[in-house]
Amino acid sequence: MRGNASTILKGFRLASGILTAPSPKKIKKLTFAVTYMCNCECTMCHIWKKYRENSALQKGEMNLEQIEKIFLNSMALRKVEKISFIGGEPFLRKDFAEIFLFFSRHYPYSIFDITTNGQNPALIKENMAKIFSAIDPSRLNFLVSLDGLRETHDKVRGRAGAFEAAEETLNQVRELSPSVRLIISFTLVPWNYRELLEVYYYAQSRGFSMTMRFAEMNDSFYYGIHGPRNGWKVEELSEAERRVFKVIGEIQKRRGLLGKIVNSDIFFFEKMADYMFLPRRTLNCYSGTHSFFMDPYGMVYPCLSLDRRIGSALDNGFDSVWNSPKAAEIRKSIAKGNCHCWTDCESLPSIQRHAKFISSNLKKHISRTFSFGSRKARER
């Protein structure tokens, strides 16, 4: 019943997003990296190097009072619909539960994501117990990175025992709140794509949802990667695409008609490998208009892919930065197509403003239905 209600609510929100023009006066999503501390050494991400190479940077992270000041003093941030907490590893902040609870009070109708590597189950359990004592679990998506089975995941995350720790975290969070939505988050790289389907079946066998994306292939200020790092052979990418479409098929089998039509994740998944083969802009992007990224120091960016600083919300106040000529100039540049990416945290909010993905989902459903019907008729 909860799943049906959630799908209907998603449909209403999508309709609203499609029918209303994106505006910086109506911010839909915030992605907030609360810290760059990290206890993994992932092969596709160098966030973990930031403080190891320059420990002084950590001292610049905002404290709870500074974070509260930014949001309490902003008119532009009054009605943010979705807030995603990322890192580094969010739970390495000693005050993460307090940060989360501030946002849950300040935004009583918003949806929240927490993305974790799950490497400190005891610490995560302690924090989540505080969080669940004050929030309806239906408002929270809890994502745990899982990039393969056992040895493969440990290799990708650069940490022995990483799989067992992530598994323990998932189990403990479920024990704390059986109704919370638990999501396995899979990042495809050349050395783990062969286990994509197996990880999906692992997730399904335990009642977890799953999302996926290819590792960012461009220069990234957020991930700390510079220079090309694709690393994919054509035949590997082709095989990865086939496996992605097998997972898509499995996901669609488990969805009702409305879910198949209104969920934008399938459209995103279908285009992932296509972007890797030929990186380019395929849809209008509204990052920096209806969404933004904020780093641990209060610096505001249009997104976590584009290294263009809008300004410091800590030093100047969010509204001053968001409504500045520089912000307007960056929005114009994005609108002209001067950048492109295909990451779920940035692409999905923009996809959801295009009726194209609904028509695509509907056409595929009709095509499969008629194809299945025709096959059945021939069998009779």
Side-chain angles (χ1 to χ4, degrees):
M1 188 71 180
R2 176 188 162 191
N4 292 336
S6 175
T7 302
I8 292 170
L9 179 59
K10 184 179 291 185
F12 279 121
R13 284 181 170 169
L14 287 172
S16 174
I18 291 169
L19 295 172
T20 58
S23 169
K25 295 180 180 179
K26 296 179 180 179
I27 299 174
K28 293 173 65 68
K29 183 187 177 187
L30 156 66
T31 301
F32 182 17
V34 295
T35 183
Y36 283 147
M37 288 186 285
C38 190
N39 49 0
C40 282
E41 297 182 4
C42 300
T43 57
M44 67 289 194
C45 168
H46 290 174
I47 289 175
W48 56 273
K49 290 185 177 182
K50 290 180 185 285
Y51 293 160
R52 299 187 197 186
E53 294 177 351
N54 188 350
S55 60
L57 288 174
Q58 187 176 338
K59 297 177 182 178
E61 291 192 352
M62 295 183 291
N63 59 39
L64 176 59
E65 183 179 355
Q66 290 170 321
I67 294 169
E68 290 178 343
K69 183 178 178 180
I70 289 173
F71 288 86
L72 291 173
N73 292 340
S74 172
M75 294 295 288
L77 291 170
R78 285 179 304 141
K79 296 182 179 180
V80 180
E81 294 179 10
K82 187 172 187 178
I83 299 166
S84 295
F85 296 100
I86 61 173
E89 170 51 40
F91 289 99
L92 291 181
R93 277 200 66 137
K94 295 179 179 179
D95 58 352
F96 177 65
E98 286 69 31
I99 291 172
F100 183 95
L101 292 173
F102 160 71
F103 279 94
S104 70
R105 292 190 301 268
H106 192 59
Y107 297 102
Y109 304 108
S110 299
I111 299 297
F112 300 97
D113 291 347
I114 298 175
T115 298
T116 174
N117 59 32
Q119 293 307 295
N120 195 326
L123 178 64
I124 293 171
K125 182 179 180 180
E126 178 185 346
N127 278 267
M128 291 309 299
K130 295 177 184 177
I131 288 170
F132 284 136
S133 70
I135 187 175
D136 178 354
S138 67
R139 296 174 58 202
L140 175 63
N141 298 311
F142 190 86
L143 295 88
V144 178
S145 300
L146 205 63
D147 303 316
L149 297 174
R150 306 205 177 272
E151 292 85 1
T152 299
H153 179 67
D154 291 3
K155 177 184 176 182
V156 172
R157 292 282 151 177
R159 184 181 173 105
F163 182 91
E164 285 78 6
E167 188 173 48
E168 184 179 350
T169 291
L170 285 160
N171 292 334
Q172 288 188 352
V173 172
R174 169 162 283 173
E175 287 177 9
L176 287 171
S177 178
S179 61
V180 70
R181 188 181 183 211
L182 297 172
I183 305 172
I184 285 178
S185 180
F186 192 105
T187 300
L188 288 110
V189 290
W191 42 95
N192 75 348
Y193 70 91
R194 293 177 181 86
E195 295 186 6
L196 176 64
L197 199 59
E198 287 75 9
V199 172
Y200 175 77
Y201 289 138
Y202 169 87
Q204 281 300 306
S205 69
R206 289 156 176 78
F208 306 145
S209 299
M210 181 168 154
T211 188
M212 55 186 167
R213 90 284 305 149
F214 282 89
E216 179 70 40
M217 62 180 289
N218 303 311
D219 279 7
S220 173
F221 75 95
Y222 168 69
Y223 291 108
I225 298 291
H226 304 287
R229 58 186 185 113
N230 191 336
W232 288 91
K233 298 177 182 177
V234 173
E235 59 271 21
E236 289 177 335
L237 199 51
S238 297
E239 180 58 29
E241 183 176 36
R242 283 191 286 272
R243 292 170 189 262
V244 166
F245 272 85
K246 286 182 180 179
V247 171
I248 290 172
E250 292 295 323
I251 292 172
Q252 291 293 64
K253 285 180 187 178
R254 292 168 169 79
R255 285 181 174 169
L257 174 58
L258 188 58
K260 291 176 181 177
I261 294 171
V262 304
N263 279 287
S264 55
D265 56 354
I266 296 301
F267 185 88
F268 173 79
F269 296 153
E270 289 175 340
K271 307 297 182 185
M272 293 193 308
D274 181 57
Y275 178 83
M276 296 294 289
F277 279 117
L278 183 62
R280 79 278 190 201
R281 176 80 69 84
T282 55
L283 292 172
N284 291 335
C285 176
Y286 304 111
S287 294
T289 297
H290 69 182
S291 62
F292 69 98
F293 167 69
M294 188 165 70
D295 72 13
Y297 322 113
M299 187 61 65
V300 176
Y301 297 80
C303 64
L304 53 73
S305 296
L306 183 62
D307 189 8
R308 296 199 60 184
R309 297 182 175 188
I310 297 176
S312 173
L314 178 61
D315 294 338
N316 303 307
F318 180 83
D319 291 8
S320 175
V321 167
W322 192 246
N323 298 316
S324 67
K326 186 173 183 180
E329 187 274 324
I330 291 174
R331 290 182 193 116
K332 287 180 181 178
S333 177
I334 293 172
K336 290 178 180 178
N338 292 331
C339 56
H340 55 79
C341 75
W342 199 253
T343 58
D344 45 350
C345 50
E346 301 301 343
S347 299
L348 277 172
S350 290
I351 290 171
Q352 291 162 3
R353 287 199 174 271
H354 292 269
K356 181 178 179 179
F357 91 83
I358 292 181
S359 64
S360 174
N361 289 350
L362 187 58
K363 287 176 183 176
K364 288 183 177 67
H365 174 71
I366 293 172
S367 174
R368 292 189 189 106
T369 301
F370 277 100
S371 174
F372 179 76
S374 299
R375 190 170 70 251
K376 284 292 185 182
R378 288 195 299 272
E379 290 171 357
R380 289 198 295 270

